[in-house]
Amino acid sequence: MHVNRHTWSLLLCLLLPLLWPTTLSSPARAAPDPPPPSPSVPAIGRTWPVGTRPAVVRAWEPPPTAYGRGHRGVDLAAPPGAPVRAVAAGVVSYAGRVAGRGVISVTLTGTNLRTTYEPVHPSVTKGMEVTPGQPLGTVEPTGSHCTTPCLHWGLRRDRTYVDPLSLLPPWLLRRGPSRLLPVLGVPLPG
């Protein structure tokens, strides 16, 4: 059986790594440790920041690195002038203008979490304690990065952005409001 040079070269390339002494090969590099999983966010939200179940215009897209591209919050459909409410209890840590748009930040009680809302014309001031559902201001007509009117809602744990929808319990994330239906055929209590 005749084996040509090309076949020998191919076999040598395939077998050489198996036959090469490990002491002569380059030192093995440890794979980088995967990033630690972020601890779960407690579902302490009691209301949506706008509306009863607003459409998510743009979802949270975590950046691959601290300064990478991504979307560090969710955009919720909201007309200009719509009331913006506190999602959970906390203290207003900022209420003012940043880069020409109104921004409100609320540090959530008993956590290392902070929610942000923009563009909002604030009706609260720094240091105010807020309760779930309490109005913080109204959606401004300009200053949004959305193509349609919206509220950008963000959430940070210390310096790390996390998905703000994780603050909401499952019953708030389900579509449609709860409805009471008539009960037929059941005797009334006597």
Side-chain angles (χ1 to χ4, degrees):
M1 178 171 141
H2 183 268
V3 179
N4 64 26
R5 267 192 289 164
H6 178 66
T7 305
W8 276 113
S9 297
L10 182 61
L11 281 172
L12 186 58
C13 287
L14 293 172
L15 293 176
L16 188 58
L18 298 173
L19 300 174
W20 195 262
T22 57
T23 56
L24 296 178
S25 63
S26 62
R29 292 185 185 169
D33 290 335
S38 60
S40 64
V41 172
I44 59 175
R46 294 294 166 250
T47 184
W48 283 91
V50 289
T52 54
R53 176 59 172 91
V56 175
V57 178
R58 185 172 176 198
W60 182 68
E61 300 165 20
T65 64
Y67 300 103
R69 293 184 70 174
H71 190 236
R72 293 163 173 84
V74 295
D75 294 337
L76 303 173
V84 177
R85 298 180 300 273
V87 172
V91 175
V92 177
S93 52
Y94 182 83
R97 303 210 62 80
V98 175
R101 61 184 98 151
V103 176
I104 298 173
S105 291
V106 176
T107 302
L108 303 182
T109 304
T111 71
N112 59 348
L113 299 169
R114 186 175 70 226
T115 57
T116 57
Y117 311 87
E118 65 177 273
V120 179
H121 180 75
S123 61
V124 293
T125 57
K126 181 178 178 179
M128 284 181 70
E129 289 187 24
V130 294
T131 58
Q134 180 177 338
L136 302 173
T138 56
V139 176
E140 290 182 338
T142 60
S144 172
H145 60 260
C146 300
T147 56
T148 62
C150 80
L151 173 77
H152 178 83
W153 175 35
L155 177 65
R156 285 177 68 170
R157 172 185 283 114
D158 296 321
R159 299 185 127 192
T160 304
Y161 289 92
V162 291
D163 185 359
L165 292 177
S166 60
L167 274 177
L168 300 179
W171 62 268
L172 264 178
L173 291 170
R174 285 190 218 108
R175 296 206 177 268
S178 299
R179 286 184 257 172
L180 295 176
L181 300 175
V183 179
L184 302 174
V186 177
L188 293 173

